[in-house]
Amino acid sequence: MMLLALIVVLFFGGLAAFISERWHPAAPRWTTLAALALEFVLVLSQYALSADQSSVWIADLKWPWISRFGIGFHLAMDGLSLSLVMLTVLLGFMAVSSSWTEIRHRQGFFYFNLLMCLAGTIGVFLALDLFLFFFSWEVMIIPMYFLISIWGHEDRTAAAIKFVIFTQVSGLLMLTAIIVLALIYYGYTGVYSFDYFRLLGMPIDTDVAFWLMLGFFVAFTVKLPAVPFHTWLPDAHTQAPTGGSVILAGVMLKTGAYGLLRFVVPLFPEASHQFAPIAMTLGAVSVLYAAVMAFAQSDLKRLIAYTSISHMGFVLLGVFAWDLLALQGAVMTMLAHGISAAALFMIAGALQERLHTRQMGSMGGLWAAVPHLSAMTLFFAIASLGLPGLGNFLGEFLVLLGAFKVSPALTALAALVMILSPVYALIIMQKAFYGSLRLPHSIADFGRRDMAALGLLAIASVWLGLHPHKVLETTEPSLQQAMQSSAVTESTDEQ
């Protein structure tokens, strides 16, 4: 029941936020904070359970839903999904904090969509029925469309439509693959089922398995995103309100990586193994291409968006290396990037709210005017470039270490970003914060609320870098089980 409560609290919290606007304009954000606080308590209780749990799965809930077609309401949580749910709740608080003064109209509907987006995301991290997974996948897309199209910036409508077209078309490919997978299971057993554990290990014709794997792969790499499916992301980030960018970069991109880890390789191990050189090449190309593209950006949010694509390339590289070190590095990169990217988008949003521009050429000399904001930008810029001692460095280092065993050439290619990333981080600091001050008037520095929110993210980034064993111990059993499942399936296929 606790797993269901994790979704229900956000759903009813969203409805309450929507209704509460009738009584007071500020009521929706306080209602949202209350819902997130309750959600935080629930997640902590799940984390406490995981300490005494000998099984990989911390909690499991399975109810019949559409029994005629073998569709069940199956939720489960292991160390991997627990880590990502904790990240989702943390960044939910950050999204509210960054929207505190930015969102001034239709606040009830804004926070309703924000919580619906988070509810859908947690559904994705918990669903182990493939139909329920697809349902949750769709639930998180529609609220994000409203967040961008209603509260976004000047070209918000085009960016929102582009986001929906990319995610919906790729989602339909995944739905087709899910249905074909269920029909194959029906052919073997005479009953329909969309349950993950029943479909896991099912023998599938090699050619069919490849095309089904490709359907899942395209859907997840669009959301990741990876080259060449990345073009929607810079536009969506540029036009989204700050809270939307925080959720999009910090959480929603991770659903694509989660899908690759949870479904693509375990369900189709042989096809994934054959496809791994192409996937790892796409990952390495994404790392370098997006880093180079970041140089060319004058818009601060577009620059941060391209760095996100670059970091997610590491995740793709690590997943298809399918080595324990690389997988742990991919998970650590997901968590660390979620924190640093969310912080950088919060800073970009704060600058836009104060200066009414995202163009770095119109900034300059801000360190003297807003020292607290500048210091936070410097910290998260060096976190993003992978300074040793912070979470991003450890994640990417583990990915490179694990991927080197599989493909030294692609690993060496991706490692070049270690040279490139400091350059775009320095571009941000040099253009926006150093030089002569160009502002004709004073602007407000970060206050207590902003410093508390970003300080919390800074502590989380340092904690991931200095004490990674907590995360690695939590996720290792899940990753090992996924590797064992794929190995069993491979041997079954060979028989």
Side-chain angles (χ1 to χ4, degrees), residues 276-277 280-281 284 317 321 400-414:
M280 291 179 71
T281 303
L317 187 69
L400 293 175
L401 202 60
F404 188 80
K405 302 173 189 172
V406 181
S407 176
L410 289 174
T411 306
L413 190 66

Side-chain angles (χ1 to χ4, degrees), residues 208-245:
V208 175
F210 180 83
W211 287 107
L212 294 181
M213 182 278 300
L214 208 57
F216 280 91
F217 177 83
V218 170
F220 294 141
T221 46
V222 164
K223 188 62 71 66
L224 191 63
V227 174
F229 308 113
H230 66 289
T231 58
W232 63 271
L233 185 72
D235 292 336
H237 269 311
T238 306
Q239 302 304 324
T242 306
S245 288

